[in-house]
Amino acid sequence: MGVIENNVIEVSALSKSFHDGDLNVTVLNDVNLLLKARERIAIVGASGSGKSTLLQLLGGLDKPSQGEVVLCGNKLNNLADNVRGKLRNQHLGFIYQFHHLLPEFTALENVAMPLMVRNESVKKIQQQAKDILGRVGLKDRTQHKPSELSGGERQRVAIARALVTQPKVILADEPTGNLDSKTAAQVSDIMMELNNELDTAIVMVTHDMGLAETMDIVYELKDSVLTTS
Ligand SMILES: Nc1ncnc2c1ncn2[C@@H]1O[C@H](COP(=O)(O)OP(=O)(O)OP(=O)(O)O)[C@@H](O)[C@H]1O
Ligand SMILES: [Mg+2]
């Protein structure tokens, strides 16, 4: 049991092809990956090499053509959508290049959103959301809407939203790719600091080799194959 609990994500013989008319494009071919609790890995690779596709599969947001993803001991392939959704909410946090915040809601409401499906009081949920917003340095921005925040602030709200559920793992797709280099460094510092504090594992897709090399392992996707570089 201990061994299983220590493995957050297990990927075996994972392949993904897309069909476009008669054309069959293989994006991922026999990918194997093990992510342990608290481990931090980077995935690098050229544009179009399949990095986002792999993250979608890891998060159960897309189905593999072959192979399997096991999230915290649960095989994702065979699960009903609602069960998979529940596992995602319980164990995963997502951060994207563009913040994906809901424009009509405040920072606080956006961050509280993933907790709303849980059976907890609104008061407790708001407190948790406030706490995590404080930890990303946005104590004074809780009532702002995304359009009233800077790019770096929006990304920090997105980080807070991903971490508010205390997930086992963060799946981050170019989380600083849309920011200037100074803001990007600040945002990634906050993200890594919080990840350490909360003992969260992370799979980070990035073009930033400097950032990638601060991770425990750097993987490269090339010619549909995942290798350690
Ligand atoms: N739903 C889809 N249908 C068809 N082809 C797709 C689909 N999603 C992705 N692809 C193709 O799969 C390949 C990998 O795409 P993916 O988005 O994973 O690349 P990426 O490594 O994330 O690139 P980038 O660094 O530009 O974000 C691309 O050639 C893309 O066109
Ligand atoms: Mg991508």
Side-chain angles (χ1 to χ4, degrees):
M1 207 48 201
V3 174
I4 293 171
E5 278 171 9
N6 198 39
N7 292 347
V8 181
I9 296 181
E10 296 160 83
V11 172
S12 47
L14 193 72
S15 296
K16 180 72 181 176
S17 305
F18 291 109
H19 304 277
D20 188 5
D22 289 342
L23 215 62
N24 188 8
V25 184
T26 297
V27 178
L28 301 171
N29 185 14
D30 194 19
V31 167
N32 296 284
L33 177 69
L34 173 61
L35 181 74
K36 296 190 181 143
R38 292 178 291 280
E39 197 167 41
R40 307 178 313 164
I41 67 171
I43 297 176
V44 300
S47 180
S49 60
K51 305 180 297 295
S52 296
T53 302
L54 177 57
L55 272 198
Q56 296 285 95
L57 292 171
L58 296 185
L61 293 165
D62 197 359
K63 293 202 168 158
S65 306
Q66 276 170 42
E68 175 167 274
V69 176
V70 179
L71 171 64
C72 299
N74 303 279
K75 290 183 188 180
L76 291 183
N77 285 12
N78 310 323
L79 296 176
D81 286 350
N82 63 330
V83 180
R84 205 170 31 241
K86 205 166 175 192
L87 283 173
R88 255 200 306 275
N89 180 266
Q90 207 178 352
H91 298 303
L92 296 178
F94 293 88
I95 307 172
Y96 299 95
Q97 177 171 2
F98 299 99
H99 53 83
H100 288 251
L101 299 172
L102 299 171
E104 66 272 35
F105 292 99
T106 64
L108 187 71
E109 288 165 341
N110 267 286
V111 172
M113 209 69 76
L115 294 174
M116 290 300 190
V117 299
R118 300 185 176 186
N119 245 346
E120 287 173 13
S121 73
V122 172
K123 204 170 163 198
K124 191 172 167 204
I125 287 173
Q126 287 202 337
Q127 194 53 52
Q128 283 171 278
K130 261 187 201 159
D131 286 349
I132 193 97
L133 274 168
R135 290 167 87 169
V136 297
L138 294 176
K139 192 161 84 56
D140 302 326
R141 295 286 186 279
T142 59
Q143 298 309 316
H144 287 56
K145 295 198 173 153
S147 62
E148 299 162 344
L149 297 167
S150 73
E153 287 171 341
R154 278 178 218 149
Q155 247 356 35
R156 283 188 274 156
V157 176
I159 291 167
R161 181 186 52 183
L163 284 166
V164 75
T165 56
Q166 306 221 344
K168 284 271 187 312
V169 57
I170 289 285
L171 301 177
D173 197 350
E174 293 279 356
T176 59
N178 190 37
L179 304 173
D180 65 78
S181 57
K182 191 172 162 221
T183 311
Q186 287 167 349
V187 167
S188 59
D189 281 355
I190 288 174
M191 186 168 58
M192 297 324 296
E193 229 176 82
L194 264 180
N195 250 50
N196 276 339
E197 270 178 48
L198 301 174
D199 283 340
T200 319
I202 186 163
V203 180
M204 161 112 65
V205 166
T206 181
H207 281 112
D208 182 344
M209 272 318 287
L211 178 58
E213 276 161 9
T214 66
M215 304 286 154
D216 298 324
I217 309 174
V218 181
Y219 288 93
E220 185 180 11
L221 256 180
K222 196 175 173 187
D223 303 328
S224 315
V225 176
L226 188 73
T227 50
T228 43
S229 55

